[in-house]
Amino acid sequence: MSTPSPTRIAAALPADHRTRLMEAAREVNFAEGSRIFREGGRADRFWIVRSGTVTLDVHVPGRRAAVVESLGAGELVGCSWLFRPCTWRLGAEAMTPVRAYEFDAERVRALMDADPAFGYAIGQWVGQVLAHRLHATRIRLLDLYAPYGSGSVV
């Protein structure tokens, strides 16, 4: 039996906070190969994957963007919306057809400000996702570009 990932919404947020967040959602679809956002762009929204696969990538000068992580159902796509200057730090692409819930960042930040417990829970969730992504990105870049890889067996 596997333990649910603490970065997935179902494991990260209590039911009442999930319900509150989902009231602000709208359903969207991305075709395979669609660019969801580009590194350096304005981070004014975020998504939770319903189905499909989204890859996160980082720009590498003189090379093709390096894929650092693949995301699936229940996972958060986009963290930069929560932190000023709200600029994407990675890029994202739909690797398969993707169904997702989309959230307007300004609206969610207003909900967080209005309810400190809700805001704290969302902040903790996004922080947990960021910590996971930083580690995954570091390992992936070492695997790709370090002379002997990261040395980790992932």
Side-chain angles (χ1 to χ4, degrees):
M1 183 173 164
S2 65
T3 305
S5 168
T7 60
R8 292 183 192 268
I9 189 171
L13 294 177
D16 59 328
H17 293 319
R18 280 195 315 269
T19 299
R20 181 129 190 244
L21 179 63
M22 295 311 293
E23 289 171 355
R26 74 181 192 99
E27 294 184 24
V28 297
N29 298 303
F30 296 99
E32 181 177 336
S34 295
R35 197 77 185 154
I36 299 171
F37 56 84
R38 294 189 187 287
E39 187 175 346
R42 187 169 155 246
D44 60 354
R45 64 199 66 239
F46 63 96
W47 301 264
I48 296 172
V49 178
R50 294 177 59 208
S51 66
T53 303
V54 173
T55 57
L56 299 178
D57 56 42
V58 63
H59 175 73
V60 179
R63 297 180 184 240
R64 176 178 283 167
V67 172
V68 294
E69 191 165 12
S70 294
L71 307 175
E75 293 189 281
L76 175 65
V77 178
C79 297
S80 301
W81 62 273
L82 187 54
F83 305 102
R84 304 265 179 243
C86 299
T87 302
W88 296 121
R89 304 296 181 199
L90 298 170
E93 184 175 325
M95 291 310 294
T96 66
V98 172
R99 294 173 44 213
Y101 295 110
E102 183 177 83
F103 301 85
D104 176 85
E106 188 174 329
R107 181 175 177 197
V108 173
R109 287 192 303 265
L111 292 171
M112 292 171 68
D113 289 344
D115 180 349
F118 176 76
Y120 179 80
I122 298 293
Q124 287 293 301
W125 173 44
V126 174
Q128 179 97 16
V129 170
L130 281 170
H132 172 80
R133 299 240 168 103
L134 179 60
H135 179 72
T137 300
R138 178 182 178 277
I139 296 299
R140 180 67 176 137
L141 291 177
L142 284 171
D143 284 341
L144 289 172
Y145 302 113
Y148 302 103
S150 67
S152 75
V153 179
V154 181

